[in-house]
Amino acid sequence: KNEVEQSPQNLTAQEGEFITINCSYSVGISALHWLQQHPGGGIVSLFMLSSGKKKHGRLIATINIQEKHSSLHITASHPRDSAVYICAGNSGTYKYIFGTGTRLKVLA
Amino acid sequence: ETGVTQTPRHLVMGMTNKKSLKCEQHLGHNAMYWYKQSAKKPLELMFVYSLEERVENNSVPSRFSPECPNSSHLFLHLHTLQPEDSALYLCASSGWTGDYGYTFGSGTRLTVV
């Protein structure tokens, strides 16, 4: 069992829908990172958070340290949001533990 | 471009070939990383260099040989690879300890035939 679990693994939504991707972790981490990976392979950092909530445009990330859980929300989803979303926990110096990713497809 | 440049983007090599992957960053970062991403698996850390010194080697087979000549450049030398080594190889860089997140390159899609 992976120390960082994401759900769902795959998600298909209609344009405009509100989307939630969940991340649970079983190890101690100092921060959690949400990443976006497009089909070409490159990975872009979306958020890094250690408590509370962060918002950037239509994206919102929350984390509950006590429950070891984080969520990534996308409001008013758009086909260009289609990508793989990966959460990663910082578990030590140079050490990130990655989830397997959630593959999101937003249909027009 | 994210600030971390990887070349080549795609590579097909035979099992007896020798090739190298290159990564370059000019973000002023001190640490550089090689990750392997296989289908349906989490990213696997291969190597970490901090100020050109290797600080992590995650039990990677010797057919993968990293080189960090300076803090801006990182190479992954490949020789006698196996088909199961086919994957996306991602380079990343960060500040001192990675505590403030990484910047990733676009990856090299490697196919071993």
Side-chain angles (χ1 to χ4, degrees):
Chain A
K1 186 173 163 60
N2 204 24
E3 291 169 309
V4 176
E5 293 281 346
Q6 289 184 234
S7 63
Q9 289 188 329
N10 295 283
L11 180 57
T12 300
Q14 289 296 131
E15 183 173 358
E17 284 185 8
F18 180 83
I19 289 164
T20 295
I21 299 171
N22 295 299
C23 176
S24 296
Y25 50 94
S26 57
V27 294
I29 64 170
S30 59
L32 189 124
H33 210 164
W34 279 101
L35 307 166
Q36 180 191 55
Q37 185 172 30
H38 279 285
I43 294 178
V44 174
S45 170
L46 297 175
F47 294 104
M48 184 158 169
L49 65 167
S50 54
S51 66
K53 176 178 171 179
K54 285 190 176 179
K55 185 175 189 291
H56 186 256
R58 296 180 293 106
L59 301 178
I60 303 167
T62 63
I63 188 167
N64 184 318
I65 298 292
Q66 287 74 28
E67 294 185 6
K68 296 189 174 179
H69 182 269
S70 176
S71 293
L72 176 69
H73 306 285
I74 305 175
T75 60
S77 58
H78 190 276
R80 65 174 173 268
D81 297 324
S82 299
V84 176
Y85 293 84
I86 301 169
C87 71
N90 185 347
S91 62
T93 303
Y94 307 120
K95 290 187 187 298
Y96 269 86
I97 306 173
F98 293 82
T100 52
T102 293
R103 187 173 300 275
L104 171 66
K105 187 170 185 177
V106 181
L107 304 175
Chain B
E1 284 297 333
T2 64
V4 176
T5 303
Q6 287 188 243
T7 54
R9 291 295 304 272
H10 301 273
L11 178 63
V12 179
M13 61 186 287
M15 289 190 282
T16 58
N17 291 159
K18 288 186 181 181
K19 296 284 184 185
S20 296
L21 310 185
K22 181 182 176 183
C23 176
E24 187 172 350
Q25 62 91 10
H26 295 288
L27 300 169
H29 286 167
N30 308 103
M32 295 187 78
Y33 310 74
W34 279 117
Y35 279 92
K36 176 183 178 182
Q37 188 179 36
S38 303
K40 300 190 178 178
K41 287 186 179 179
L43 273 76
E44 300 170 54
L45 179 64
M46 300 176 73
F47 302 104
V48 182
Y49 276 82
S50 177
L51 294 177
E52 302 118 58
E53 185 177 329
R54 192 189 312 178
V55 295
E56 288 279 341
N57 178 350
N58 264 16
S59 303
V60 179
S62 59
R63 56 187 184 268
F64 295 92
S65 173
E67 178 191 0
C68 188
N70 54 63
S71 59
S72 298
H73 293 86
L74 183 66
F75 295 89
L76 187 63
H77 303 300
L78 315 171
H79 65 98
T80 59
L81 294 192
Q82 304 297 311
E84 60 264 28
D85 296 321
S86 299
L88 180 69
Y89 288 85
L90 287 154
C91 173
S93 68
S94 76
W96 283 104
T97 60
D99 289 356
Y100 297 99
Y102 293 176
T103 301
F104 282 88
S106 298
T108 294
R109 174 73 60 187
L110 173 68
T111 303
V112 181
V113 297

